[in-house]
Amino acid sequence: MLSTAQALNGPRRDEHLAAIDKELHGHLKVFGTYTLIPITDMPIEANLIDLKLILAEKFGAMNEFLKAKARLVARGDQEEAGRDFDPWQTWSPMLCYSSLRLLCSLAATTGRKLSSSDAVQAYLNAGLKTPRHGRLPKELREYDADGVELIALIRQALYGLSESGHAWNLEINTYLTTPRSEGGMGFSRCYSEPCMYKRIEGDSWAIIGLACDNAIHLESDDNVHAEVIAALQAKFNWIDEGHVNDVPTILGAKIRQNLKTGEVTMEQEGYVDALAEEWSGNVSTRLVSTPSSKDLENRVIEAKVERYSRPSDAKLTKRYQRLVGALLFKSVVTGPDIAWAVGMLARAMAWPTEALMKEAYHCLNYTIQHKHLPMRFTRDTYFCARTGTTILRKNANQGGRLAGVYTINDSQIDDGHSDADYAAGPSVSGWAWRVAGGSVLFGSKKQSETMLCSASTELVAGSVAATDGVHLRNLKEEIGFPEEGPTAMWIDNKATVALAHDPQSFSKTKHVARRHHFLRECVDSGVLDVKHISTEFNISDIFTKALGVKTFRLFRAAVMNLSVESLI
């Protein structure tokens, strides 16, 4: 974000002026967002909200300049709940990154184009229940012939207002879900993911993932895609951005699709390059093979113990929070390989130490040096940790069935893995669910309570993983890709596998809360098929602890569906 002086005195002055003109044209000529009235006409009981002109420059996933942006926004923090807006009418959903990865995996397995589109000044399509009064920024302020200041009487959902996101979501949701016979688009909203919509008519189908004013499309053929885009353009100012290969960035990631080989990749090289530039003084040329040292967990524990006995350092805390927050975004989108390290670093957000700051730099340097590694989703092959090689799905059953070696029918879930690192305090749960070879859902999370044995710890982790597995199955069924039979889930603790099938060793697990037996319910209902796998092939181990270089590279390749060359 730039100040007005920076933008208008900088090298892209003309681009910023054009962006301002475009923004104001939309407000005044297209949407009629507000009308100007004398400030003396404002009711005494009304709240006058400041408006601001925000200027920024948008860069692509490869850190290339795309365009200048201008946005007139309201100071929503100056609104008063109950007077200016209904506090229960402010929530607006956002497409989950796991849902975006699912769309990528389905694009790989179906061979259909993954496309993107964008709504221009989307919020302004929705009206406000109660008009607002806003004071224009000084750059745009106007006065009448008598010298009385003119203010804005706002009737449309201006960006920044508390209810604007909710109003836009209601507007687009209503249009998408209204039957075509009544002037809508005839889609159905998914219960498992409120930002995904599907429409199935005979052999033709369409799926839309809605991320505020961006949409990601997957349709059965090009004619259906053209019809969907035409319907959106008939109602809104909507731009078809085309195939994902032609779109610089989608929700912070660059997505590429090879229709011939059935491969879709997601990466964030540009985002990492921007981090490298911002933290250039801490970038090292020394080779970093793993995202953390073996001492990371102990350093977090030490920092927690000492947090009250040492003075706080506000400057260090601010830098630490900024860096770890940036790494967290990378881990959520395309970085399962750094999920455990970032999760451990995030535990010390309020009380970091210099040692932990060095660990954060370590993770940053690993991320920079391995920025070229993408999340891959492939139709015909996948990386198998059991063999340490890339396997053709059609040949997967040759030579007998091995744990972790599988075939796939159409767009079925490959499998799920779950693990836990048994510790003196609360342990860490780790899990991953793969579709088309790549991890669609994954996580590394500290358990909420201390378990008394490794089996109960693994049971807690397995139940957490099962919730993601059930969600993934439900969402796939809603969008027209149901699972055939139970989904395989691998756990490396034999006692936990036994408990998942039958209530064995009751005397040793009677302290475990009922919610942690959800895994057994999933097995009993035929949703999951829990199986045992050797620890040396359980890829979810990458989410529970710091690993040696060889094991880390093997599990990273399996979690991200990388090539054999990534093992070197």
Side-chain angles (χ1 to χ4, degrees), residues 136-401:
L136 293 170
K138 60 182 181 180
E139 302 91 346
L140 305 176
R141 200 161 293 169
E142 297 183 31
Y143 300 85
D144 65 12
D146 298 325
V148 177
E149 180 183 347
L150 299 178
I151 61 173
L153 178 61
I154 307 167
R155 293 188 173 87
Q156 297 301 108
L158 185 66
Y159 286 83
L161 293 174
S162 299
E163 70 175 271
S164 293
H166 181 78
W168 160 245
N169 186 256
L170 286 179
E171 182 78 17
I172 184 63
N173 178 70
T174 300
Y175 183 59
L176 286 172
T177 57
T178 299
R180 292 213 265 184
S181 60
E182 299 176 16
M185 293 184 64
F187 278 78
S188 297
R189 192 179 201 173
C190 295
Y191 289 100
S192 302
E193 166 57 276
C195 285
M196 286 190 74
Y197 297 81
K198 58 87 184 309
R199 187 179 71 193
I200 303 174
E201 298 175 337
D203 293 332
S204 67
W205 49 267
I207 303 171
I208 295 177
L210 192 63
C212 190
D213 54 359
N214 292 105
I216 296 87
H217 302 258
L218 185 64
E219 291 97 356
S220 55
D221 58 66
D222 293 343
N223 292 331
V224 175
H225 176 70
E227 185 273 324
V228 169
I229 292 296
L232 289 170
Q233 291 176 338
K235 177 72 172 179
F236 308 106
N237 184 5
W238 208 284
I239 299 174
D240 182 9
E241 297 179 316
H243 190 218
V244 291
N245 289 355
D246 303 322
V247 182
T249 180
I250 297 177
L251 303 185
K254 174 60 184 176
I255 300 177
R256 294 184 176 88
Q257 181 179 22
N258 189 324
L259 293 170
K260 292 184 178 179
T261 62
E263 176 180 293
V264 178
T265 61
M266 293 177 62
E267 48 85 7
Q268 292 177 282
E269 281 196 46
Y271 178 76
V272 176
D273 285 340
L275 283 182
E277 183 178 349
E278 179 182 355
W279 299 89
S280 57
N282 306 103
V283 175
S284 172
T285 57
R286 182 177 61 86
L287 179 63
V288 180
S289 300
T290 60
S292 71
S293 72
K294 289 283 188 179
D295 299 324
L296 173 57
E297 187 169 7
N298 289 332
R299 286 173 177 169
V300 172
I301 294 173
E302 290 171 1
K304 183 178 181 180
V305 171
E306 300 171 357
R307 66 187 186 278
Y308 297 123
S309 60
R310 56 182 170 82
S312 60
D313 186 335
K315 186 176 180 180
L316 172 66
T317 301
K318 185 176 181 179
R319 285 178 57 80
Y320 184 83
Q321 291 173 347
R322 182 173 180 83
L323 178 54
V324 175
L327 292 171
L328 181 62
F329 179 66
K330 173 67 169 68
S331 72
V332 168
V333 183
T334 61
D337 53 334
I338 65 173
W340 179 81
V342 174
M344 291 300 300
L345 290 169
R347 293 188 188 183
M349 282 294 209
W351 26 266
T353 61
E354 289 291 349
L356 285 176
M357 194 72 217
K358 290 180 181 179
E359 288 286 355
Y361 292 146
H362 181 110
C363 187
L364 171 67
N365 281 289
Y366 165 84
T367 304
I368 293 171
Q369 293 179 18
H370 298 84
K371 64 181 181 180
H372 61 284
L373 297 179
M375 291 282 289
R376 291 176 70 241
F377 303 94
T378 48
R379 178 185 61 211
D380 302 323
T381 64
Y382 68 94
F383 184 89
C384 176
R386 175 64 178 79
T387 63
T389 60
T390 298
I391 288 182
L392 285 171
R393 296 183 187 277
K394 64 181 181 180
N395 297 331
N397 280 336
Q398 293 183 2
R401 185 172 180 83

Side-chain angles (χ1 to χ4, degrees), residues 27-58:
H27 286 296
L28 299 174
K29 303 296 183 182
V30 179
F31 298 101
T33 307
Y34 61 86
T35 54
L36 296 177
I37 63 170
I39 193 171
T40 53
D41 290 351
M42 185 182 77
I44 296 177
E45 69 277 5
N47 183 15
L48 185 61
I49 302 167
D50 290 330
L51 306 185
K52 295 187 68 176
L53 185 63
I54 304 297
L55 303 179
E57 295 176 353
K58 184 176 181 179

